[in-house]
Amino acid sequence: MNNIYEYAMIAVIVYLFGSIPWGFILGKMKGIDIREHGSKNVGATNVNRVLGKKWALVCFLLDFLKGFIPVTIVTHLITVEILSKDAIYAVIIAAFAAFAGHVWTIYLGFKGGKGIATIAGIIVALAPLSFVISMVIWTIVFYSTRYVSLASIIASSVLPLSAYLLSKYEIYPLEDTVLGLLLLLAHLAVFKHKDNIKRLLKGTENRFEKKEK
């Protein structure tokens, strides 16, 4: 199969899959339009604010799978030689198509979420050990500050560095192309938090307060 045709098919299929607006769908199941409440975002964080933790976890998992499933499938197809052996770029295309679908979903006028859960799914498919390290960092920062955004920004920044060090010392080797992809995804994750960064600097960012017992 011609590489260009492979790439085009992967891009379209994964984009449409990544465009499924689970936060919006879950809100409709509860009789509300999630875009009219909280931060008006269709991601898991706003679902948590509006619908509660259980629905937020469901939303996060579904958005996570939007990145994990296509990247895992494409990687497997290369391994079993259904796709060309040199089709490492197919993995990159699948990753960005999933991210683009979530952030610019065709089903909601090209307005979606921030893509953090989807990026997490992509990273787990490519570099699971680096993801675990980032999640440890995320947990420490979140429970120290109660800021989801700050925890996400710092964890995203740590991820490509951990992937590089793990690969350099042959603990979990990765191709340079994949390391570059992880670096770019980390930058995208931070960029999608640009408004949060402004609010953090101003001291107006939303904060998860501990509930009184």
Side-chain angles (χ1 to χ4, degrees):
M1 186 182 292
N2 184 274
N3 277 358
I4 295 177
Y5 178 69
E6 290 177 354
Y7 297 160
M9 288 295 293
I10 289 169
V12 172
I13 293 172
V14 176
Y15 171 77
L16 292 175
F17 178 70
S19 285
I20 300 173
W22 289 116
F24 175 78
I25 293 171
L26 293 173
K28 284 298 183 181
M29 290 172 62
K30 296 289 287 183
I32 66 171
D33 186 338
I34 197 74
R35 298 172 299 175
E36 297 176 354
H37 301 270
S39 65
K40 302 182 179 1
N41 191 280
V42 297
T45 301
N46 195 41
V47 171
N48 181 68
R49 292 192 186 100
V50 179
L51 303 180
K53 289 183 179 179
K54 291 182 180 179
W55 289 97
L57 288 172
V58 172
C59 183
F60 182 90
L61 177 60
L62 291 170
D63 286 343
F64 172 93
L65 292 175
K66 289 197 287 190
F68 179 79
I69 290 176
V71 171
T72 299
I73 289 175
V74 171
T75 303
H76 176 71
L77 291 177
I78 295 173
T79 302
V80 299
E81 300 184 20
I82 292 176
L83 291 177
S84 306
K85 287 184 178 180
D86 61 345
I88 184 63
Y89 292 109
V91 176
I92 297 175
I93 290 170
F96 280 103
F99 174 79
H102 180 78
V103 176
W104 300 290
T105 170
I106 192 172
Y107 307 120
L108 297 178
F110 300 100
K111 294 181 180 179
K114 293 182 178 178
I116 303 304
T118 303
I119 287 177
I122 295 167
I123 291 169
V124 170
L126 295 174
L129 186 53
S130 295
F131 178 79
V132 171
I133 293 172
S134 291
M135 285 307 299
V136 170
I137 298 298
W138 187 95
T139 302
I140 292 172
V141 175
F142 173 71
Y143 281 102
S144 298
T145 67
R146 311 301 294 185
Y147 287 118
V148 173
S149 56
L150 181 62
S152 298
I153 291 165
I154 293 176
S156 297
S157 301
V158 167
L159 188 136
L161 176 61
S162 68
Y164 170 76
L165 292 175
L166 290 172
S167 184
K168 179 180 179 181
Y169 292 103
E170 299 184 352
I171 298 171
Y172 195 92
L174 294 170
E175 293 186 28
D176 289 344
T177 305
V178 174
L179 288 171
L181 174 60
L182 292 174
L183 179 61
L184 192 50
L185 288 171
H187 276 84
L188 279 172
V190 174
F191 176 76
K192 291 300 293 182
H193 282 88
K194 60 184 185 300
D195 292 333
N196 302 87
I197 293 173
K198 292 177 182 178
R199 290 194 293 269
L200 283 166
L201 292 174
K202 292 179 180 178
T204 58
E205 176 67 332
N206 291 323
R207 188 174 187 171
F208 278 80
E209 301 294 342
K210 295 180 180 179
K211 292 182 178 180
E212 297 292 336
K213 293 184 179 181

